[in-house]
Amino acid sequence: MAKKAVNEMSFLDHLEELRWHLIRIILAVVIIGTVAFISSRFIFDEIIFAPLEMSFPTYDLLCKCANFINVETSFCGDKIPLILQNRTMAGQFSADIWTAVLAGFIIAFPYVIFELWRFISPAMHANERKHSRGFIVISSLLFFLGVLFGYYIICPLSINFLANYSISSKVDNQIDISSYIGLVRSSVLASGIIFELPIIIYFLTKVGVVTPEFLRKYRKYALVIVLILSAIITPPDITSQIIVAIPVLVLYQVSIYISKLVVRGQRKKAKA
């Protein structure tokens, strides 16, 4: 049976179409998550727990920088004073399952975006579809860059700071595994989503919610929001917050430029 034209589809037809796209997305995440679950030993030892070792690339780089400017730092220590433990019967199994789901979503992200694009593309004009083909590549690239930023910057900075922070020598840091993995998961996902800011601004401009003038006018408020966001997802030291804030501010500036291009294209189309 031939597929209905978009303008002939009812609301329920759209819901049915969306349902099948979501089913395919879930299947992709489950399949890749299953492979990740089978490879969980490697994922935990070589990826999740890697920031617990002082040989982690971020620590090594920051230690060299500190030695270069002759500053004492915890990045040059022998080991991170932190012991992971499991306090519940199903704690390790739950950590394994949710980590596999997270890995499945991250790896399947390009396919997730592809399915969402397939759902909305029939409503676009032929010219819009042509110019939006790079959307999947760009959004996936930004997401993966955000994930890498969260993993190599936010995670090690947070882990090192919180593990070395102490109110007394009588207190040891024996951290529950769910707390540690939650920190890694939130840092990686939050960074991946934040790096999608240019894509979000693009669509908000397309539908007329924001304009370049609006973004410029409220730039100073955006700066405050970025600093607050940086304070939330990073340890409470000014260096870490600045490291996180700089790329977000750059993304905001890029978003203004993208919004400007979208508005310029809409004005040209209106004149034509």
Side-chain angles (χ1 to χ4, degrees):
M1 186 182 212
K3 194 174 182 179
K4 288 183 181 180
V6 177
N7 55 2
E8 296 177 356
M9 293 176 67
S10 67
F11 177 72
L12 292 178
D13 290 331
H14 282 292
L15 286 181
E16 178 67 13
E17 188 71 16
L18 177 61
R19 184 173 75 92
W20 282 106
H21 286 292
L22 293 177
I23 288 174
R24 286 191 287 269
I25 288 173
I26 293 172
L27 283 175
V29 173
V30 169
I31 291 172
I32 298 177
T34 302
V35 176
F37 183 79
I38 296 172
S39 310
S40 62
R41 178 75 65 175
F42 171 82
I43 292 175
F44 277 99
D45 290 343
E46 303 298 329
I47 300 176
I48 303 295
F49 296 145
L52 292 174
E53 303 294 333
M54 293 308 299
S55 58
F56 194 69
T58 305
Y59 301 142
D60 185 56
L61 177 62
L62 293 175
C63 178
K64 291 178 180 178
C65 293
N67 289 333
F68 180 76
I69 59 178
N70 197 24
V71 174
E72 188 175 349
T73 177
S74 60
F75 295 115
C76 297
D78 296 328
K79 66 176 184 177
I80 293 180
L82 184 151
I83 299 174
L84 289 182
Q85 58 182 349
N86 175 49
R87 294 176 178 239
T88 60
M89 288 295 294
Q92 296 196 52
F93 180 73
S94 297
D96 206 353
I97 291 293
W98 285 110
T99 300
V101 172
L102 174 65
F105 175 77
I106 291 175
I107 297 173
F109 186 80
Y111 182 75
V112 172
I113 293 296
F114 172 70
E115 284 293 339
L116 294 177
W117 182 83
R118 284 184 61 194
F119 176 70
I120 64 175
S121 61
M124 298 178 178
H125 296 294
N127 190 44
E128 290 177 329
R129 281 198 297 270
K130 180 181 178 181
H131 288 90
S132 64
R133 287 174 183 171
F135 160 73
I136 299 172
V137 176
I138 295 173
S139 59
S140 299
L141 179 62
L142 288 173
F143 180 77
F144 288 136
L145 285 175
V147 167
L148 291 175
F149 181 80
Y151 179 71
Y152 282 103
I153 302 298
I154 297 180
C155 279
L157 289 178
S158 301
I159 292 169
N160 184 272
F161 176 83
L162 296 174
N164 283 283
Y165 187 85
S166 176
I167 57 174
S168 171
S169 59
K170 296 181 180 180
V171 181
D172 294 328
N173 283 327
Q174 299 181 2
I175 310 301
D176 192 80
I177 187 173
S178 61
S179 176
Y180 174 84
I181 293 178
L183 185 148
V184 175
R185 180 171 59 239
S186 60
S187 299
V188 167
L189 280 181
S191 299
I193 294 172
I194 289 172
F195 271 60
E196 292 293 311
L197 181 61
I199 301 296
I200 295 172
I201 294 297
Y202 171 83
F203 282 104
L204 290 179
T205 306
K206 279 292 242 184
V207 298
V209 176
V210 299
T211 62
E213 293 75 18
F214 175 86
L215 295 174
R216 291 193 193 97
K217 180 179 178 181
Y218 292 97
R219 195 201 311 260
K220 56 184 178 182
Y221 300 106
L223 174 61
V224 174
I225 294 174
V226 167
L227 292 176
I228 293 174
L229 185 63
S230 301
I232 293 174
I233 64 177
T234 59
D237 66 276
I238 190 65
T239 304
S240 300
Q241 293 173 16
I242 291 175
I243 290 174
V244 173
I246 289 175
V248 178
L249 291 174
V250 171
L251 287 171
Y252 186 83
Q253 190 62 40
V254 171
S255 299
I256 295 176
Y257 179 72
I258 290 174
S259 181
K260 182 179 178 181
L261 291 178
V262 172
V263 171
R264 184 184 300 170
Q266 290 175 336
R267 288 174 180 170
K268 286 183 178 179
K269 186 182 295 184
K271 289 180 180 179

